[in-house]
Amino acid sequence: MSLILPGSYRREDAGQPPSLYPDYGSTVSRSPREPLVKIPHTLTETTGPANAWSRLMGESMADLTSQHNGEPLGQRIVVSGRVLDDDGRPVPHTVVEVWQANAAGRYIHKKDQWDAPLDPNFTGAGRVITDAEGRYRFISVRPGAYPWRNHHNAWRPSHIHLSLLGPAFATRLVTQMYFPDDPLIEIDPIANAVPMPYRQRMVSRFDIETTEPNWALGYVFDIVLRGKDATPFENGQ
Amino acid sequence: MTPEQARPAPRQDSQDPAIFGQTPWQTVGPFFHYGLPWKGGADLVGTSDIGARPELMPPEHYLLASPSPKGEIAGETIVLEGVVVDAEGQIIPDAMIEIWQADAAGHYAEGNTGFVGFGRASTGEDGTYRFRTVLPGSIGEGHAPHIAVGVFGRGLLKRLVTRVYFEGDPANASDPILALVPPERRGTLMARKQDGAWRFDIVLQGERETVFFDV
């Protein structure tokens, strides 16, 4: 019986973080110690709910600044980019879910209780779908940095969480987008779980073309998912 | 100085050819509940609102989807539930589980109507997740019915992938993926019938650590 089905996806590349990264303390008791069992891609891994996202999650919410009665405080931003696979091909019609803290660095989540103000006009959750060329775009405010309890005087750099389904179970990705020239990135254990230079793949680029006059700063963030792979699976690799 | 005269800023995005490649995974962190798990996301057959944790945000900030009608779904409805625990056996109240499965006939439904085999459930304060779905069929000769599982949470830098198989199914003996798992660890992939539900606990580390896959 052949284990190989056409349509396998490439394995993770050298830029992916390990599950255990002790500088990020929560990984110590939450990462497996047994080796992962490498398996070939069956239909289970090469299919996914790519075409059903709107039935599941709902329609697009691309403007995070117009979800309440008033305007949120903070620096308005436009984030745009393309979703590609690692052959450089666009990934069309795929959902990108986003969530983030407000401009003061506070999440609307009830378990985020640090002493920064909530903004009644900002939730920080959105959802966009890529077009036929893999492009996406959403409007938000630049999130603030915030402290966390990982180590003494620990601060997370400004970041936006992004979640992508891609075409298959195997192409799932959840990442964080960082902002250029943020001095907190290089001392952040979560970002640094990804070794350089790959860490730079998570840093967006300020872009004057994306910037809207008298309205919002523009950042470009391209996201690369795993592409198709024709390499045969060899058990025991 | 005009913008044309300015020295262009160095590219720092993932399209720089020097660093082009897969965007790295990052943790979902502890505060994903207002961004990812929607009401009904864990009910693949009905219109209950299981899966979400709306109590973790003010009601006016719940912007995620509500349960949608699924129509007539063929097959045996099951409950799949369990706890997620860490190395010390402590329950994990801030994990999220995703599933992907075939329908009762063994087909992966990606269409616009009927069953979609994708679900998302937050764990509760007691570390429990719960899905309502159908018992999947076999996806092909030799393949035992199974459900693919992704585990996310604070402290999980990237998704952990495992599979649920159903204890007692004779097809387990011939499943090509189970065959790759050391026999003494296969039991961690077996859901067991308990109080009318299929019970599948997920142990991230330690004794009886769940088998996780490199996919």
Side-chain angles (χ1 to χ4, degrees), chain B residues 33-49:
Chain B
H33 298 92
Y34 69 96
L36 291 177
W38 69 94
K39 287 179 181 173
D43 189 343
L44 283 66
V45 294
T47 53
S48 75
D49 65 1

Side-chain angles (χ1 to χ4, degrees), chain A residues 1 3 10-13 15-19 21 24 26-45 47-52 55-58 61 67-68 84-88 97-101 107-112 119-125 127 156 161 163 165 167 169-170 172-176 178 180-181 190-191 193-194 197-198 200-205 220-226 233 235, chain B residues 10-15 18-36 38 53-66 68-70 85-88 91-94 96 98-100 106 108-116 118 120 125 139 141-143 146-150 152-163 174 176-177 180-182 185 204-206 209-215:
Chain A
M1 177 172 41
L3 289 176
R10 202 163 282 131
R11 302 283 158 163
E12 63 178 43
D13 73 14
Q16 296 299 341
S19 284
Y21 189 72
Y24 174 21
S26 300
T27 67
V28 173
S29 65
R30 293 184 168 194
S31 53
R33 289 294 175 277
E34 297 283 348
L36 301 184
V37 175
K38 186 174 181 180
I39 62 171
H41 289 173
T42 69
L43 267 182
T44 303
E45 288 75 32
T47 55
N51 298 322
R55 284 183 65 203
L56 296 166
M57 298 159 186
M61 297 192 294
Q67 295 172 329
H68 299 282
L84 305 164
D85 69 20
D86 55 7
D87 293 312
E97 295 167 279
V98 304
W99 74 102
Q100 62 165 87
Y107 286 92
I108 200 68
H109 197 285
K110 286 187 178 173
K111 291 194 177 179
D112 184 10
D119 184 339
N121 292 314
F122 191 72
T123 296
R127 184 187 314 117
R156 294 292 336 275
H161 296 266
S163 168
L165 296 183
F169 181 78
R172 187 86 174 85
L173 174 70
V174 179
T175 189
Q176 298 181 24
Y178 299 96
D181 307 318
I190 294 178
V194 176
Y198 310 109
Q200 290 297 98
R201 293 176 179 174
M202 303 184 292
V203 182
S204 60
R205 172 168 56 92
V220 170
F221 187 62
D222 293 319
I223 303 163
V224 182
L225 306 179
R226 299 199 224 169
F233 177 81
N235 192 10
Chain B
R11 291 180 68 90
Q12 297 192 64
D13 65 299
S14 60
Q15 288 306 288
I19 57 169
F20 179 82
Q22 297 164 14
T23 303
W25 272 82
Q26 293 275 270
T27 178
V28 296
F31 302 133
F32 58 83
H33 298 92
Y34 69 96
L36 291 177
W38 69 94
R53 299 278 310 270
E55 75 277 12
L56 293 175
M57 67 212 82
E60 66 274 23
H61 290 284
Y62 183 86
L63 302 180
L64 301 177
S66 291
S68 56
K70 317 288 191 302
V85 300
D86 69 10
E88 281 82 49
I91 58 103
I92 298 184
D94 52 7
M96 186 179 84
E98 286 182 351
I99 60 171
W100 174 239
Y108 282 104
E110 304 176 81
N112 292 320
T113 57
F115 182 72
V116 176
F118 182 79
R120 195 179 269 173
E125 291 303 307
I139 63 167
E141 194 188 339
H143 290 267
H146 62 273
I147 296 176
V149 173
F152 308 74
R154 176 175 64 83
L156 278 71
L157 278 162
K158 53 188 177 184
R159 174 180 70 163
L160 295 174
V161 171
T162 185
R163 281 185 173 204
S174 65
I177 302 300
L180 298 173
V181 177
R185 300 192 63 210
L204 298 186
Q205 188 192 116
E209 181 178 305
T210 299
V211 168
F212 296 104
F213 293 114
D214 169 2
V215 292

